[in-house]
Amino acid sequence: MIAGIVGATGYGGIELFRLLSKHPQINQLKLYSSSQAGVEFEAIYPQFESRERHPLHEVDPVKMKEECDVVFLATPAGVSSRLTPELQDGKAKIIDLSGDLRLKNSADYSAWYKKDPAPEPSLEKAVYGLPEWNKEAIRSADVVSNPGCYPTATLLGLGPVMSEQLADPGSIIVDAKSGVSGAGKNPNALTHFAHAQENFQIYKVNQHQHIPEVEQQLMQWNEETTPITFSTHLVPMTRGIMATIYFTLKEEKSAEELLALYKDVYADQPFVRVKSEGQFPCTKDVYQTNFCDIGLTVDSRTKRVTVVSVIDNLMKGAASQAVQNMNLVFHLDEAAGLPQFPVYP
Amino acid sequence: MIAGIVGATGYGGIELFRLLSKHPQINQLKLYSSSQAGVEFEAIYPQFESRERHPLHEVDPVKMKEECDVVFLATPAGVSSRLTPELQDGKAKIIDLSGDLRLKNSADYSAWYKKDPAPEPSLEKAVYGLPEWNKEAIRSADVVSNPGCYPTATLLGLGPVMSEQLADPGSIIVDAKSGVSGAGKNPNALTHFAHAQENFQIYKVNQHQHIPEVEQQLMQWNEETTPITFSTHLVPMTRGIMATIYFTLKEEKSAEELLALYKDVYADQPFVRVKSEGQFPCTKDVYQTNFCDIGLTVDSRTKRVTVVSVIDNLMKGAASQAVQNMNLVFHLDEAAGLPQFPVYP
Amino acid sequence: MIAGIVGATGYGGIELFRLLSKHPQINQLKLYSSSQAGVEFEAIYPQFESRERHPLHEVDPVKMKEECDVVFLATPAGVSSRLTPELQDGKAKIIDLSGDLRLKNSADYSAWYKKDPAPEPSLEKAVYGLPEWNKEAIRSADVVSNPGCYPTATLLGLGPVMSEQLADPGSIIVDAKSGVSGAGKNPNALTHFAHAQENFQIYKVNQHQHIPEVEQQLMQWNEETTPITFSTHLVPMTRGIMATIYFTLKEEKSAEELLALYKDVYADQPFVRVKSEGQFPCTKDVYQTNFCDIGLTVDSRTKRVTVVSVIDNLMKGAASQAVQNMNLVFHLDEAAGLPQFPVYP
Amino acid sequence: MIAGIVGATGYGGIELFRLLSKHPQINQLKLYSSSQAGVEFEAIYPQFESRERHPLHEVDPVKMKEECDVVFLATPAGVSSRLTPELQDGKAKIIDLSGDLRLKNSADYSAWYKKDPAPEPSLEKAVYGLPEWNKEAIRSADVVSNPGCYPTATLLGLGPVMSEQLADPGSIIVDAKSGVSGAGKNPNALTHFAHAQENFQIYKVNQHQHIPEVEQQLMQWNEETTPITFSTHLVPMTRGIMATIYFTLKEEKSAEELLALYKDVYADQPFVRVKSEGQFPCTKDVYQTNFCDIGLTVDSRTKRVTVVSVIDNLMKGAASQAVQNMNLVFHLDEAAGLPQFPVYP
């Protein structure tokens, strides 16, 4: 199989390069870049030097859709909305890591992303690639829209209670924290080491473009979903997301009962691990993996539930989930090419 | 004035040593330690070497209460509950940085701290040292119970809306994050650099001993206060606390109106800074200061309020607030000896 | 093949567990621990939870030497000197990650390690496992003594000039820097996050036990080797070693000539990458890999050479080099089971 | 006294602002900026908000030299070479934190800084502001050239042995490490948090513009000084420099003898602390202070000396040393306005 990566020099693209390079079913990797075509990937990232060199090719959809079996779009917002229409009628399956194809309602896209939405036919073709909740649709998809990092952590944490109609949707508050790589590789004042280190920052309060993506899926589970409260913070670490999620139950349940539900719902999902009662995950537990680890408790005093969900934002929150989706699209082993254990310490 | 510090070798004690050493009204500093009496402070912390050396004296309440004008207790839980009764009838004013004298209801103390409570007379004498809300009582106190780090950030963030009966107490959720120094100086697996760095951890979910302290003060503002939800996280940085606080209003208010209220309430408080609309503080803004910086917004979609409150956990959350309290007790300039600006970067 | 790990719960052992779990030739992994026998590895490190659980077995050399094909000893100094004699006459090949079998002169071991040395027959059997310089001997070894982390970086940086008699041995100064994981997993004051973060520390100046190991190999290359100067520092990061190496040449050479020599010497070594002129590696270039990256320059003003050599201390400096050695011992592909690319960012 | 700061928004300028704001002899602080004139300092750095606001004024040398008693130039290379000639004939004393006035030989400046040198009369007027070695000249200076960060740490570490002709100048190797703030506040790929964290980098090997500054002073102590070897590294921390310095002695001396010499030489210097035998400083020991802490040892095997010298690069390496120089120029207490103790932890 030949895989193409558009935007290989961004953080998501680098991870894809690394994962696909050792994927057992990928024989050839082709990299594309509009801004750096002609340069070799290894010239930009000498740490990836090996016997083989990877030139960055022009982004030419007409060629790409025939020379690749699968094309990953690891591009900034506003790019795949234009590329997908030109790519989607060829041989290549498309896996888009950007937010361009996630929101079915294009008015939502315009409002939250402040950009022109993708054309309707592309939005219709795109299947939301959250494997744990949409596996069958992904298996027959031509275009997969890979979820955002915050939505992945949040939705896996909320899926069991929302789909079982146990949580009161109006009560949901998500307090999410991300490593600095989530801000992308362009250097700026907020990501300067001397500013970000020994610092904890909040940003885009109630305004993060991942909010409508979360709500869209919550709505799938419960039509009575109303807007949620969603905060995003920057942690002085490179990778990792923790979503601390608060909500009230419609009827009383113990932590034990809820954990049993979560374990049951995710029993066949190789990349979700539910903790035992009293145990909570930390971000390092899933560092460099495709896992989402989940713990929860019910406060005996307030009856409120606290769910803690952690992922590696560049892996399950981006590149490794994209590979998981590719595995599903091509009916491979869902875990092919994905690390089994975290790097520790 | 002569100041004594019991427990000078802990993180809070070190900060007190540093602040009091340059305080314009302190002429002499006496250090006490039960475990390390006889050793010099500078032998343990050579980075504090100067022309003067500070021996650690035996903890002898009978002597201390006469030789000092003020005694700071920077001791672990369970120590000042025993020391205060022996100290409180002397010349020395007492400022206790531990949790032993904070909870008026001694059953709460036993339940949350799993230790024997202080005797009632000590609890009655102790004035809760949150200067922005209790200044007059502090000015005439003999014993001040210095607030916990999380309660300081949380209560300053909630005070204006709670005291004005604007917030629905049952809706309050506090998602709090602290630097690793909050876990104290005893080394363990969770604070090992190789574990804590590049990691974000949650701990003591709904079980932190600072919860009843927060609720006790909320109750002062609003008798209808019910239990709150309160989470604590460990950030890979040494200092700093951010409390992200969520609640609903009893009646609709705009962010502009709320900010006007906060600015008004704290207008005469030298150590609270309220941000402008759309601005939020980060922990580095208050690094190494006695400031509490507060920002807030009202989500137009959910009507929920998000208040962000940051402090330096070892300063406003411990030592510098204790010095602020000393300044009040002795009717000095409230800001005497306290830094005016953060260290940046 | 069945692989055993003694000391699987230390940092080196954890890495071995992770690497061997996905090694294509290892069918079964058996873990041994003297202090925690009976407990499951996953109970101690829940982040490694998977469908399979790994009990920690008693350390029983008689059983181990027959049930395993290879036994890795990831134990503190003083353990494998006792275990190896009991293990070395069985079926199992032995790969020792500790320092116990590295020094051929047992008086050196006593002097630098302050412990009893291994018996002579074990020392004689042990082959020094620096593959790039000892590959043939390793391929026929029964016992491999895996090099220390600092020696690996240093010796790969010095090998070409020392073996070619170009460097003046008496001029060698090694200024080495390591991430905090190099200090091991036992928590102490120096590795407490609040002490180690935002701090740069020097330790064991001229006294590190890796010094005689480096000198022993230098002596192999040049019998006129005299003692070297060697400093070790602790960097506020978890992994990575940089050795900055200074020496004078016996006769003048340009950087270009030296780089050509290095590229030539390491041309067939899959895990050494030599940089181009003017380029230097950083530790992140080899993060999570078995690579050693080397850059160098010749100062036109002083004629002194500066060689920069970086490795991941837990990988090429411990576990992945041990796996490389296992691959050689069993005549497998030298790179089997080892990552091809670093994790970045 | 009225103090002016040109370039107040850079890292050095921010520190000057903080230090001078609380300096007992400074009544007024005036900030100047060519790029941001008209903006208020507090608008750029809201963390410095206080009752007083500080507008950034136009850089007008004619006005500045009369309205200020002292002007600090915290500007990039190439600015004060142009400003100083216009400023130096007025009332104001000048303290230049840039490298423009440090090298007496203007050809050296051109060669290492790749910029036009300052005019000779300015270079002649400028006194090198290393107080521990040039105090009398500073006390009568009109223009002080504040030393670079690396030279400060290096020269204080070498002064006693060089001025006593004990060290062999040709043997000197300086392996220096700096926190990331040393790279300045302009964001770029090397200082991006996700790149710099968990990374240790080397840069400008043998090419750092501080090398000729060090050599110029060494030459003052010993005319036979020849070029030194000097490496600079970037540590994943914000502040702090450690210079590990290696050299050989002309005649044998013990560590005890050398330490006695260092203690003697620096006996009257309030900001140099010499460690006891066997003790070495770490950068956190001097964090946020004007101290330079020095430890040393003599290797009994190689007879080589290792000196370890640490400073805070933004304090003793820049802003607080500039204030120390101001104190000397105006015959104030040398320690006025400078912190006595480090911030710890």
Side-chain angles (χ1 to χ4, degrees), chain A residues 45-124:
Chain A
Y45 296 114
Q47 63 266 48
F48 287 95
E49 193 124 335
S50 67
R51 294 191 189 267
E52 198 184 347
R53 304 205 122 228
H54 297 80
L56 296 169
H57 300 283
E58 290 284 356
V59 178
D60 177 348
V62 176
K63 278 181 70 178
M64 289 158 60
K65 69 186 174 190
E66 296 309 332
E67 72 189 7
C68 295
D69 296 291
V70 58
V71 173
F72 292 86
L73 303 174
T75 42
V79 174
S80 52
S81 58
R82 289 181 287 106
L83 271 180
T84 307
E86 303 181 60
L87 276 169
Q88 71 188 28
D89 59 347
K91 180 183 78 173
K93 306 283 187 179
I94 299 170
I95 299 178
D96 178 28
L97 283 81
S98 85
D100 282 13
L101 305 177
R102 293 182 196 147
L103 302 181
K104 292 300 177 193
N105 180 340
S106 57
D108 281 349
Y109 182 85
S110 309
W112 289 85
Y113 283 82
K114 322 281 185 212
K115 285 181 188 289
D116 289 338
E120 284 301 327
S122 294
L123 293 180
E124 274 159 34

Side-chain angles (χ1 to χ4, degrees), chain B residues 31-284:
Chain B
L31 311 185
Y32 306 93
S33 168
S34 49
S35 60
Q36 298 182 288
V39 184
E40 284 176 330
F41 183 74
E42 288 81 5
I44 302 169
Y45 296 114
Q47 63 265 48
F48 288 94
E49 194 124 336
S50 66
R51 296 192 188 265
E52 198 185 347
R53 302 204 123 229
H54 297 81
L56 296 169
H57 301 283
E58 290 283 355
V59 177
D60 178 347
V62 177
K63 278 182 69 178
M64 288 157 61
K65 69 186 173 191
E66 296 309 333
E67 70 189 10
C68 295
D69 297 290
V70 57
V71 173
F72 292 86
L73 302 174
T75 44
V79 175
S80 52
S81 58
R82 290 180 286 103
L83 270 181
T84 307
E86 303 181 60
L87 275 169
Q88 71 189 28
D89 60 345
K91 181 184 77 176
K93 306 283 186 178
I94 299 170
I95 298 176
D96 179 27
L97 283 80
S98 86
D100 282 13
L101 305 176
R102 293 181 198 150
L103 303 181
K104 292 301 176 192
N105 180 342
S106 58
D108 282 349
Y109 182 85
S110 310
W112 289 85
Y113 283 83
K114 322 284 185 208
K115 285 181 188 288
D116 290 337
E120 283 300 329
S122 294
L123 293 180
E124 275 160 32
K125 239 178 142 45
V127 170
Y128 190 60
L130 189 63
E132 289 73 14
W133 289 95
N134 212 16
K135 206 164 280 183
E136 284 322 302
I138 297 166
R139 281 198 173 114
S140 53
D142 291 322
V143 178
V144 175
S145 174
N146 208 56
C149 52
Y150 287 122
T152 296
T154 304
L155 293 170
L156 293 176
L158 280 169
V161 283
M162 284 298 288
S163 64
E164 295 292 322
Q165 316 301 322
L166 294 173
D168 169 8
S171 70
I172 296 172
I173 293 177
V174 181
D175 189 285
K177 302 92 174 168
S178 172
V180 177
S181 65
K185 80 161 184 166
N186 284 332
N188 62 50
L190 290 191
T191 60
H192 191 300
F193 183 88
H195 179 79
Q197 188 241 14
E198 187 67 15
N199 200 359
F200 188 84
Q201 309 177 67
I202 189 168
Y203 70 108
K204 290 194 186 175
V205 188
N206 295 324
Q207 294 176 357
H208 200 286
Q209 68 277 10
H210 286 171
I211 295 175
E213 180 182 341
V214 170
E215 291 173 351
Q216 173 179 274
Q217 178 62 43
L218 295 184
M219 200 78 82
Q220 295 283 317
W221 286 320
N222 184 336
E223 287 186 5
E224 288 158 28
T225 295
T226 49
I228 61 168
T229 290
F230 196 95
S231 296
T232 46
H233 305 77
L234 228 41
V235 184
M237 62 186 187
T238 297
R239 289 157 176 258
I241 281 180
M242 180 182 284
T244 314
I245 307 169
Y246 305 93
F247 57 86
T248 49
L249 293 168
K250 291 181 184 168
E251 51 180 299
E252 205 165 314
K253 295 272 175 196
S254 67
E256 197 184 351
E257 288 171 298
L258 289 179
L259 285 167
L261 167 68
Y262 274 68
K263 284 189 194 238
D264 186 49
V265 166
Y266 290 127
D268 296 328
Q269 303 301 339
F271 292 113
V272 176
R273 298 188 295 193
V274 179
K275 309 292 285 187
S276 305
E277 199 173 345
Q279 303 300 312
F280 292 91
C282 60
T283 62
K284 217 165 200 173

Side-chain angles (χ1 to χ4, degrees), chain D residues 20-263:
Chain D
L20 294 172
S21 290
K22 62 181 179 189
H23 192 286
Q25 260 76 35
I26 302 295
N27 312 110
Q28 202 191 335
L29 205 51
K30 293 185 79 81
L31 311 185
Y32 306 94
S33 169
S34 48
S35 59
Q36 297 182 288
V39 184
E40 283 176 330
F41 183 73
E42 288 80 6
I44 303 169
Y45 295 115
Q47 63 266 48
F48 287 95
E49 193 125 334
S50 68
R51 293 190 190 266
E52 199 184 346
R53 303 204 124 229
H54 297 80
L56 296 170
H57 301 283
E58 289 284 356
V59 178
D60 177 348
V62 177
K63 278 181 70 178
M64 289 158 60
K65 71 185 172 190
E66 295 309 332
E67 71 189 7
C68 295
D69 297 289
V70 57
V71 173
F72 292 87
L73 302 174
T75 44
V79 174
S80 51
S81 58
R82 290 181 284 105
L83 271 181
T84 306
E86 303 181 60
L87 276 169
Q88 72 188 27
D89 59 345
K91 180 183 79 174
K93 306 283 186 178
I94 300 170
I95 299 177
D96 178 27
L97 283 80
S98 86
D100 282 12
L101 305 177
R102 292 181 196 148
L103 301 182
K104 292 301 176 191
N105 180 340
S106 57
D108 281 349
Y109 182 85
S110 309
W112 290 85
Y113 283 82
K114 320 283 184 211
K115 285 180 189 288
D116 289 337
E120 283 300 328
S122 294
L123 292 180
E124 274 160 33
K125 237 175 145 48
V127 171
Y128 191 60
L130 189 63
E132 289 73 14
W133 290 95
N134 213 17
K135 204 165 283 182
E136 284 322 303
I138 297 166
R139 281 198 173 114
S140 52
D142 292 321
V143 178
V144 175
S145 174
N146 209 55
C149 51
Y150 287 122
T152 296
T154 303
L155 293 170
L156 292 175
L158 279 169
V161 285
M162 284 298 288
S163 63
E164 295 293 322
Q165 315 300 323
L166 295 172
D168 170 7
S171 71
I172 296 171
I173 294 177
V174 180
D175 189 286
K177 301 91 176 169
S178 172
V180 178
S181 65
K185 80 161 185 167
N186 283 332
N188 62 51
L190 290 191
T191 60
H192 191 299
F193 183 89
H195 179 79
Q197 189 241 14
E198 188 68 13
N199 200 359
F200 188 83
Q201 309 178 65
I202 190 169
Y203 70 108
K204 289 194 186 174
V205 188
N206 296 323
Q207 294 176 357
H208 200 287
Q209 68 278 12
H210 286 171
I211 294 176
E213 180 183 342
V214 170
E215 290 174 351
Q216 173 178 275
Q217 178 63 44
L218 295 183
M219 201 77 82
Q220 296 283 315
W221 285 321
N222 185 335
E223 287 186 5
E224 288 159 27
T225 295
T226 48
I228 60 169
T229 291
F230 196 94
S231 296
T232 44
H233 304 77
L234 227 43
V235 184
M237 61 187 188
T238 297
R239 287 158 177 258
I241 279 180
M242 179 181 284
T244 314
I245 307 169
Y246 306 93
F247 57 86
T248 51
L249 292 168
K250 292 181 183 167
E251 51 181 300
E252 206 164 313
K253 294 273 174 195
S254 68
E256 198 183 351
E257 289 170 299
L258 288 180
L259 285 168
L261 168 67
Y262 275 67
K263 284 186 196 241

